[in-house]
Amino acid sequence: MKATMLFLPLLLAITTSCTPGKFSSDSIPSSTVDKTKLLELLNKARQTGCKCGDTYYDAAPALTWNNLLESASYKHAKDMFQNKYFSHIAPDGSNAAERIEREGYTWMTYGENIGSGYKNEQEVVEGWLESPSHCKNIMNKQFKEIGTARVGNIWTQEFATRK
């Protein structure tokens, strides 16, 4: 009898809005994703509107890439990959807001998507769009900028709008 293992990609999303403080910026990593492809896929969904679970979201303005958000995404993906966990809350207790602030980004609102098991930009965006909470982040008109990174098969995506 042959044993088979089914691997399902994992997704988690978080959205919030409030007023934080500011921390110093660290260096920005080299790109770990195809930014052009990722923005094309995300902005196509935003341009046409999208049904996220039971809720339809009208078209939203295009997102633009932000290197500080990419850096925050990269550091969280790297930490999850190296320390073998999958969560919006790091073992040190930090969350997406703190990670974004550490990069020197002063935000008014932010959101985070994470995913595991996706091989490329197309797969992860399709997975996020099929998940109501991730889709909601993608379609959120309050979000203006994005940064996404991948380490191994761990993806982190930070959305935000500056103060």
Side-chain angles (χ1 to χ4, degrees):
M1 184 155 91
K2 183 177 178 183
T4 58
M5 181 184 291
L6 177 64
F7 176 75
L8 298 176
L10 299 172
L11 296 170
L12 291 174
I14 187 171
T15 303
T16 191
S17 181
C18 67
T19 306
K22 182 178 175 181
F23 293 88
S24 64
S25 177
D26 292 328
S27 63
I28 298 169
S30 60
S31 180
T32 59
V33 299
D34 181 337
K35 297 174 192 180
T36 303
K37 179 70 171 175
L38 193 72
L39 279 172
E40 175 188 313
L41 294 166
L42 294 169
N43 286 329
K44 181 178 178 185
R46 286 174 67 95
Q47 178 183 13
T48 59
C50 191
K51 187 172 182 184
C52 303
D54 294 333
T55 306
Y56 180 79
Y57 290 86
D58 290 327
L63 294 164
T64 58
W65 195 265
N66 182 282
N67 289 334
L68 297 176
L69 297 176
E70 177 188 12
S71 183
S73 294
Y74 173 79
K75 289 174 182 176
H76 188 50
K78 181 180 176 185
D79 188 48
M80 287 191 289
F81 182 80
Q82 289 179 335
N83 294 300
K84 299 179 181 3
Y85 72 95
F86 187 74
S87 175
H88 291 286
I89 306 299
D92 68 2
S94 64
N95 62 28
E98 294 163 308
R99 292 187 288 274
I100 292 168
E101 291 167 7
R102 286 183 194 142
E103 300 309 310
Y105 190 103
T106 304
W107 54 268
M108 179 172 46
T109 186
Y110 77 92
E112 177 176 80
N113 287 346
I114 60 177
S116 177
Y118 297 99
K119 296 175 188 158
N120 57 46
E121 291 77 8
Q122 181 77 37
E123 283 186 15
V124 75
V125 170
E126 286 175 2
W128 282 331
L129 288 172
E130 290 173 9
S131 163
S133 60
H134 293 89
C135 183
K136 180 181 174 183
N137 276 346
I138 291 169
M139 297 306 297
N140 188 329
K141 290 180 182 182
Q142 291 184 339
F143 297 146
K144 307 292 184 213
E145 297 180 300
I146 190 170
T148 305
R150 177 181 78 175
V151 176
N153 67 353
I154 303 291
W155 297 76
T156 301
Q157 183 172 63
E158 305 294 356
F159 300 88
T161 298
R162 291 180 188 267
K163 256 181 153 177

